[in-house]
Amino acid sequence: MKINAVITKKPRIMARNEKLDIFDRTLLLIFVFMLISILSGAIIYRIKSNLFSSAVFESFVAFSTDVTGKSFFEAFSGFFAADLSVLIIITLLGVSAFGRVPILSAAGFRVLGIGALGAYLFDNFGSAGLKYFLIVLLPGRVFMFFALLLSVQNCFQTCRKARLILTAESTETIDFKIYLLRNTVAAVVFAAAAMTDTLLLRFVSGHFLPQL
């Protein structure tokens, strides 16, 4: 006698090693994407698009003179608010099952200006501009880059969990306390980036590029 068995699909539970492997690969892919975005900024600037070049120039002037005529706290707040706004956007997108592409777009756009700014300074000020970029502007952007990298990775992991829950492929739940705590740590690193920018622009910038 033939017996028909009903097969039910069980939610897939991932092993710890598999989770770590996905974590490492995701982090690497995000890192590579962000580096490509930085290089793309430099390449786009070198194409000599008038509109883009003008935007980079205005961005540089605003960035470099943001501490002039402002208190230390006001200057710091301006830098911090710019990074924090991006963090808030990707944090909100991170709880969506379909948030990965918008998250990458926001992060890529944020770091695009780093490469463009470096290309602008070298193109217009030569070795002095490159020195200014490396010593005055880059340190704070390095803090920003890694804070953004870790926050994007955290949001990616949550997006993945949300997608698996939505498709009934996992019984895992999203721990929002851990999710928010990790992005809070990223916010602290963003604050360190803003502090670095403010200190270097206020006390160091004039020694390397007196005439902006």
Side-chain angles (χ1 to χ4, degrees):
M1 184 174 65
K2 187 176 180 180
I3 300 175
N4 293 324
V6 178
I7 301 175
T8 58
K9 183 178 179 182
K10 294 182 178 180
R12 181 168 175 265
I13 300 176
M14 291 174 20
R16 180 175 177 81
N17 288 341
E18 187 179 357
K19 288 182 181 180
L20 290 175
D21 184 53
I22 292 175
F23 178 90
D24 293 338
R25 284 189 285 113
T26 302
L27 193 62
L28 178 61
L29 288 173
I30 296 170
F31 179 79
V32 171
F33 173 81
M34 290 174 65
L35 282 182
I36 291 174
S37 297
I38 292 174
L39 292 174
S40 297
I43 293 171
I44 293 172
Y45 175 80
R46 296 298 296 176
I47 292 175
K48 294 295 185 182
S49 166
N50 292 332
L51 179 63
F52 189 75
S53 298
S54 176
V56 173
F57 170 74
E58 291 175 4
S59 175
F60 169 66
V61 172
F63 188 89
S64 300
T65 60
D66 200 37
V67 297
T68 305
K70 293 184 178 181
S71 68
F72 188 92
F73 179 76
E74 287 176 330
F76 166 80
S77 298
F79 291 128
F80 183 50
D83 291 331
L84 187 62
S85 61
V86 177
L87 179 62
I88 291 173
I89 290 171
I90 65 174
T91 298
L92 293 175
L93 290 170
V95 297
S96 168
F98 309 101
R100 288 188 172 190
V101 173
I103 288 171
L104 272 183
S105 299
F109 183 77
R110 182 60 183 154
V111 299
L112 188 73
I114 298 176
L117 191 54
Y120 166 80
L121 287 169
F122 181 72
D123 193 44
N124 289 273
F125 298 98
S127 59
L130 183 60
K131 184 186 295 184
Y132 183 86
F133 176 75
L134 294 175
I135 296 175
V136 178
L137 302 184
L138 190 60
R141 298 303 86 196
V142 170
F143 277 113
M144 183 273 287
F145 179 89
F146 282 104
L148 194 58
L149 176 67
L150 294 176
S151 60
V152 168
Q153 194 280 332
N154 180 39
C155 294
F156 258 45
Q157 292 296 313
T158 307
C159 282
R160 184 177 185 280
K161 286 182 179 181
R163 180 179 60 81
L164 292 176
I165 292 171
L166 184 65
T167 56
E169 295 180 48
S170 174
T171 57
E172 284 189 276
T173 58
I174 298 174
D175 191 333
F176 287 102
K177 288 183 179 180
I178 297 298
Y179 176 67
L180 294 175
L181 178 61
R182 288 173 177 171
N183 278 354
T184 300
V185 172
V188 172
V189 182
F190 278 127
M195 181 64 69
T196 302
D197 286 334
T198 305
L199 288 171
L200 290 176
L201 285 168
R202 182 176 286 268
F203 300 112
V204 179
S205 62
H207 298 288
F208 292 95
L209 197 63
Q211 296 181 349
L212 301 178

